[in-house]
């Protein structure tokens, strides 16, 4: 559950393969359809998976979809097509999801994620009523609710402004800024001591100039 069918290394599938390999009795593996077995982004990976299962001594049967014709070439082509359709379904779903997210962001909504230091979250109900959730308050948004960020705790907002103005003056490095905040007894975003890395993360975060970035990966 919650693991994409495109992940051929997903735990459930690997558990199945181990069972098929270790079982002394061989027989039929039954799946509702090919996309229940896998939704590979490259349809050839689906054929390789099927060949691996057959190589372990099992016959694959699908309740729905193309049935065996007895012609190896025809069966391979039809299998390739169905695996391609499964991958296309994932691609279309991803495209539709991104399109909906972009539309909601254009309307001023925040798609999710951790509330940045200095901000608070506003929940907008279907009737238009609003409720402010502080940064440290845990809350799970309902599907019908919309969210946006606003300036949060006054002390945190002042700290953010001080950080940017002081760093922009060129008079302090990250470690020095952290030392000054700790000396003043101001708690870091997570509640402990400030360190140079936390300062850097804030100063390079585009949210503080009004730009929203999400779904970013670093490798």
């Amino acid at each position: 559950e919650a693991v994409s069918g495109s992940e051929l290394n997903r735990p459930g599938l690997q558990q199945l393969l181990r069972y098929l390999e270790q079982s002394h009795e061989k027989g039929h593996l039954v799946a509702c359809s090919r996309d229940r077995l896998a939704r590979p982004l490259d349809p050839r990976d689906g054929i390789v998976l099927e060949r691996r299962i057959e190589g372990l001594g099992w016959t694959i049967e699908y309740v729905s979809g193309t049935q065996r014709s007895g012609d190896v070439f025809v069966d391979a082509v039809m299998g390739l097509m169905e695996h391609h359709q499964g991958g296309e379904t994932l691609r279309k779903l991803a495209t539709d999801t991104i399109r909906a997210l972009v539309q909601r962001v254009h309307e001023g909504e925040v798609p999710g994620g951790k509330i940045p230091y200095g901000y608070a979250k506003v929940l907008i109900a279907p009737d238009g009523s609003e409720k402010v959730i502080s940064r440290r308050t845990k809350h799970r948004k309902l599907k019908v609710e919309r969210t946006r960020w606003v300036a949060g705790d006054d002390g945190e907002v002042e700290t953010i402004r001080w950080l940017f103005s002081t760093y922009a003056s060129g008079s302090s490095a990250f470690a020095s800024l952290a030392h000054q905040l700790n000396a003043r007894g101001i708690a870091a975003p997570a509640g402990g001591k400030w360190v140079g890395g936390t300062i850097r993360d804030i100063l390079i975060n585009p949210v503080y100039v009004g730009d929203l970035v999400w779904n970013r990966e670093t490798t």
Side-chain angles (χ1 to χ4, degrees):
E1 186 176 0
V3 180
S4 172
S6 65
E7 295 291 338
L8 298 185
N9 289 324
R10 66 186 190 274
L13 181 56
Q14 293 304 309
Q15 183 180 359
L16 168 65
L17 292 174
R18 285 194 297 271
Y19 172 81
L20 298 180
E21 183 178 13
Q22 296 170 5
S23 175
H24 297 295
E25 297 182 5
K26 306 297 180 180
H28 296 269
L29 170 64
V30 181
C32 180
S33 58
R34 273 189 166 89
D35 63 2
R36 294 295 85 198
L37 183 64
R39 287 184 174 180
L41 298 180
D42 186 335
R44 295 174 298 180
D45 291 337
I47 297 299
V48 170
L49 175 61
E50 291 189 20
R51 291 293 294 154
R52 179 180 177 185
I53 292 173
E54 292 170 350
L56 294 174
W58 294 80
T59 300
I60 308 175
E61 303 288 354
Y62 296 108
V63 177
S64 62
T66 304
Q67 306 302 321
R68 294 180 180 276
S69 67
D71 187 309
V72 175
F73 176 75
V74 172
D75 291 344
V77 171
M78 297 306 296
L80 198 65
M81 289 179 58
E82 290 189 356
H83 281 304
H84 172 70
Q85 291 171 350
E88 281 298 297
T89 298
L90 286 183
R91 280 186 282 269
K92 184 178 184 301
L93 178 62
T95 300
D96 291 345
T97 300
I98 290 296
R99 184 185 300 113
L101 278 174
V102 169
Q103 177 62 34
R104 288 162 65 176
V105 169
H106 278 306
E107 295 172 356
E109 183 178 353
V110 176
K114 188 176 180 180
I115 304 174
Y117 181 80
Y119 280 91
K121 179 167 63 177
V122 173
L123 294 177
I124 307 171
D127 61 4
S129 60
E130 297 184 355
K131 179 181 179 180
V132 178
I133 303 295
S134 67
R135 183 178 66 86
R136 292 181 176 274
T137 301
K138 293 184 178 180
H139 176 269
R140 183 178 294 276
K141 184 180 79 69
L142 302 177
K143 288 185 177 180
V144 296
E145 294 176 326
R146 300 299 188 190
T147 59
R148 59 186 173 87
W149 286 336
V150 296
D153 177 80
D154 290 340
E156 293 187 0
V157 172
E158 181 59 31
T159 298
I160 290 294
R161 289 174 174 162
W162 177 84
L163 277 173
F164 275 91
S165 61
T166 304
Y167 184 74
S169 70
S171 60
S172 296
F174 299 148
S176 176
L177 291 170
H179 177 74
Q180 294 179 59
L181 289 175
N182 290 329
R184 290 160 56 184
I186 298 176
K193 295 289 186 179
W194 290 87
V195 295
T198 305
I199 302 293
R200 177 184 178 277
D201 289 344
I202 288 177
L203 293 176
I204 66 173
N205 192 336
V207 72
Y208 294 111
V209 295
D211 293 337
L212 180 62
V213 179
W214 85 98
N215 205 32
R216 177 169 51 189
E217 293 184 1
T218 301
T219 58

